Amino acid sequence: MNTASPDLVIDVRGLVKNFGRTQVLKGLDLQVNRGEVHAFLGPNGAGKTTTLRLLLGLLRSDGGSMSVLGLDPWSQAADVHRRLAYVPGDVALWPGLSGGEVIDLLGRLHGGIDQARRTELLERFDLDPTKKARTYSKGNRQKVALVAALATDAELYLLDEPTAGLDPLMEAQFKECVVQLRDAGRSVLLSSHILSEAEVLSDRVSIIRDGAVVETGTLDQLRHLTRTTVSATVARSPEGVEALTGVYAATLTGDRFTAQVDADGVAPLLAALSSAGATSLVSHPPTLEELFLSHYSEPGGAP
Amino acid sequence: MTGTWPLVRLALRRDRILLPAWIIGLSLMVASSVTATRDLYPTRESLTSAAETINATAALVALYGKVYDPTSLGAISLIKLTAFGAAIVGIIFVFIVIRHTRAEEESGRLELIGAGAVGRAAPLTASLIVSMGASVVLGVLTALGLGAAGLAWGGAFAFGLSWALAGIVFSAIAAVAAQAMTSARAAIGVGVAAVGAAYALRAVGDLGDADPGLLSWLSPVGWSQQIRPFAGDRWWIAAVPIVATAVLVPIAYSLRARRDLGSGLVPERGGPALGTIGGVMGLAWRLQRGLFIAWALGSALMGMVLGSVAHTIAGLLNSPEMAKFFEALGGSQGLTTMFLAAEIGILGSLVGAYAIAAASRLRSEETAGHVELLLSTPATRVRWATSHLAFACVGSAIIIVITGSAIGLAHGLAIGDVGGQVPRLFAASAGQVPAALVIAGIVMLLFGVAPRMVVGAWGLLVAFIVLGEFGSLWQLPQWALDVSPFAHSPRLPGGEVDPGQLALLTGVAAVLIAVGLVAWRRRDLRP
Ligand SMILES: Nc1ncnc2c1ncn2[C@@H]1O[C@H](COP(=O)(O)OP(=O)(O)O)[C@@H](O)[C@H]1O
Ligand SMILES: [Mg+2]
C-alpha cells in the first residue's frame, strides 16, 4: 500500500467514502508534495472536510488507498499525528477551559510546544488566552486552534477552511504564517472555498467537485484551461466576430466591447478589433472564480 | 413572544419518543403497583398492619413518607411513589426544561433561531409550555390509570394532581436555573440539587413530631405528599405549589430580559493563561471532577441520614404480633441488618446513575466535536476512551464504598459501635461494585456499537431498578429478575457472598467494555 514516492506527504488514490447510501467521495485522487502549500478548493459540500477526516483516521475509508507521511492514517494514526497538526473547520472547544489551557493541552499531547512561538502567535492573532472558551466567538475559537497548530513543530499542516471566521486583518496575519511555514520547508494542505486565499498562497491547487478531484496543478497550468477576457472601446461594431473560432460571448454595449477568447482566437479577434477602430484594450487572465465557473457551469456540473 | 409556537413544535418533535415513553411508563407503573399491592395484602388487617409497620419505622418514613390512612389501599400501594415518585418526576422535568433552554443556547442553535423571527423569551415560553403541558398530561394519565385499577376517582385525581404539580414546580425551578447558570451542566446540577434538597427536607420534616414538621412545608416534594391522595384528598394544598410557580416563572423571565444570549446571571470568570492539564487523563479529571465530587458528597450525606435511622427499624417490635413475625427472620438484630442490606442495595443501584453520567461523557464529547481536536493529536482512541471509562468505573467504586462507610459511621454512632460497623458496611457496599461496572460496560458497549443509543442506558437502569423494587411484587419469573445486574449483587450485610456471581458480573463488565472498545476503534467518528 505504501508505494508512495518519498517526496509525497499525502498520496491518495481512488478514495471512496459512503455515509449510509450516499457516496460522498467517489474515487478521489490527491497528491501533495513535500514542502508545498497545496490548496484544496471546492464549494461547500464537495467533500473537503470528509477527505481531511479520512486523512486523520477519524473516518474509515470504503475504498482506495491513502498514505500520509508514508504511513497508513487508519492503522498508524498515532504515528501520523505525531508529525502533523490539524485545524478543524468547525472548532469546538471545552466551554469551561480557557484558551490558554486548550493550547497547552493540545501542545502537550503533541509532545510540547515552543513557548516563545506560542507567545508570538497569541500576540499576532490578538487572542486573550485567559478567557473561557464558552465566551469565545467562532473566530476566536478558530484562533485558539490555529495558535495550537502553528506552535506545534510539524512536518505537515492540515488546515480546514482556517480563515472562515477571521476578519481581514487576522486573515493577513494567517497568510504570513503560512508563508513562514513554506519558507521553513513545511507542507501545508489548505482547504478553502475562498479563492483569493488560494491564489495568493498556494503552489499547487486541487479542485474538488462532488467528491472527486476534477483538476490539479499549478495555477499557471490551470489557467490555460480557461479563456482570457478581453474588453475594448471601439468606434464601430467589429464585423463577424461571433463567427470567429475561439471567440465566445462577444457583446457590444454602446462603445464597450467584451468577449472571452481561447489561445487560437486571440489573433483573429485582435485583427477584427483593430479594423473596428479600437481606442483602448484591456485583457486579463481568469481569476479563480472564473476558473471555478468554467468547471461548474459545464453540462452535468453542480449549480 | 413571536416564534413561540414553532419552537413548541420543534421541542415536541425532538422529544417525540422520550416524553411519551416517560409519561406512559410512569403512569403504568403507578397503576400496576396498585394491583400488585392488592394481591399482596388481600385482607384489611394485613393492609393495616403493613401501613402501621411503615409509620412506626423512622427509616421507612424518611425514605418514603408516612401512610396517612392505614386502611386505604391507595395510600399504602402508592407509598413508594408519592415522595420518591414526585422527586423522579421533578428530575425528568428539570432535564426537559434545560434541554430546550440553556442546552440549546449553549449549542449555538438558539443563535440561529434568534436571528429569525423569534422573540428573546420565546424559547423559555416554549419550554415551559411543553413541560407544564406534559406535567398535566402525566397527571391525567396517572389518574386515569389509578381509576381504571379500581381506586376511588377522587383519590386518583388527587394523586395525578400531586405529580402534575411536582412537574410544574420543578419546571419553574429549572427555568430559573437555566437563566441563572451559564452552562447546561451547571443548570442541571442546580435543578437536580433542588430536587434532592426537597426530598431531604421532607424526610426530616416527616420524622418531626408535627404532622408533618415545618421542613416538609418548605419542600415541593412535601407539598405533593401533603395533598394526601386516598387519605383525605386535601385539594387546597395545591395552592402552595401554584403560588410558588407564579413567583418563580416571572423571576425566570426577568432574568432572561436582563441578560444577553449565552451569558448567565453568575458572571463568567476568566481562566489561567497557561494550562496545566497534562494529557488525556488530566482532561478527563478536569471534565469529570465536578460530577464525581458532587456524587461523593451527596452519597456520603445520604448514607449518614439513612445510617442514623437504621436502628429504629427495631422500634416496630413494640407490637407483639410484628415481633413474632420478625422473630422468625432473626430477631431485632436480624431486622436491622436486613434493612441495612436493603439500603445498600438501593444506593448501590442509584450509583448506576453516576456510572452512566460519567461514561456518557464519551458520547457528549464526541457530539460536541471535542474528540475531533483531541484525536488529531498522538492521543489514541483507546487511551481517550479509557480515561473517561476509568472515572465511570473507579469513580463508581469509590462512591459506593463512601456510601457504605457513611452508613456504617452513622449507624455505628447511633448504636455505639463505630469500630465494628464502619468496616462491616464498607465491606458490604464493596459487594455492589461489580454491578456498577456492568452499567459502565453497557454504556461503553453502546458507545462503540450504536453511539446514538447511549442515552438508552438510562432507560435500562430505570428498568433494572424497577425490576428490583417491584419485580417480586409483580411476581415476575426468576429469569426476568435475573436480567438486572443488581439481582446478582450479594445482599450484604447478613447475606451470603457468592464469588461465582461476583465473578460473573465482573466478567460481563469486562466483555462489554472490551467489545465496546474494539467497536469504537473500528468505527467512524459520528458527531
Ligand atoms: N457524518 C456524515 N453523515 C452523513 N453525511 C455527511 C457526513 N459528513 C458529511 N456528510 C455529507 O458529505 C458531503 C460532503 O461534506 P463535507 O466533506 O463536509 O464538505 P465540505 O467540507 O467540502 O464542505 C456533504 O453533502 C455532507 O452533507
Ligand atoms: Mg467543510
Side-chain angles (χ1 to χ4, degrees), chain A residues 48-49 160-161:
Chain A
K48 303 182 293 295
T49 300
D160 193 3
E161 311 215 13

Side-chain angles (χ1 to χ4, degrees), chain B residues 60-124:
Chain B
L60 293 178
V61 171
L63 208 54
Y64 300 127
K66 279 186 188 148
V67 181
Y68 285 105
D69 179 357
T71 63
S72 156
L73 172 66
I76 175 98
S77 48
L78 295 172
I79 186 65
K80 280 188 174 183
L81 290 167
T82 308
F84 197 63
I88 299 258
V89 169
I91 286 176
I92 292 170
F93 283 99
V94 164
F95 271 93
I96 289 173
V97 168
I98 288 168
R99 176 176 154 83
H100 295 299
T101 48
R102 179 55 73 175
E104 279 292 273
E105 200 170 310
E106 199 174 37
S107 74
R109 274 188 292 266
L110 278 188
E111 216 167 321
L112 290 177
I113 295 169
V118 172
R120 56 199 266 131
L124 177 58

Side-chain angles (χ1 to χ4, degrees), chain A residues 121 123-126 143 146 162-163 165-177 197:
Chain A
L121 286 164
E123 263 167 40
R124 184 187 275 274
F125 285 108
D126 190 25
K143 287 183 199 171
L146 269 174
T163 58
L166 300 184
D167 58 40
L169 217 64
M170 292 302 138
E171 207 177 313
Q173 294 292 340
F174 166 75
K175 283 176 184 164
E176 265 180 48
C177 289
E197 194 168 276

Side-chain angles (χ1 to χ4, degrees), chain A residues 17 60 86 94 98 101 104 130, chain B residues 271-272 275 286 365 372 524:
Chain A
K17 179 66 194 172
R60 190 171 197 176
Y86 171 54
W94 298 270
S98 71
E101 286 180 301
D104 289 336
T130 65
Chain B
R286 178 66 180 271
E365 285 286 284
E372 179 166 356
D524 282 353

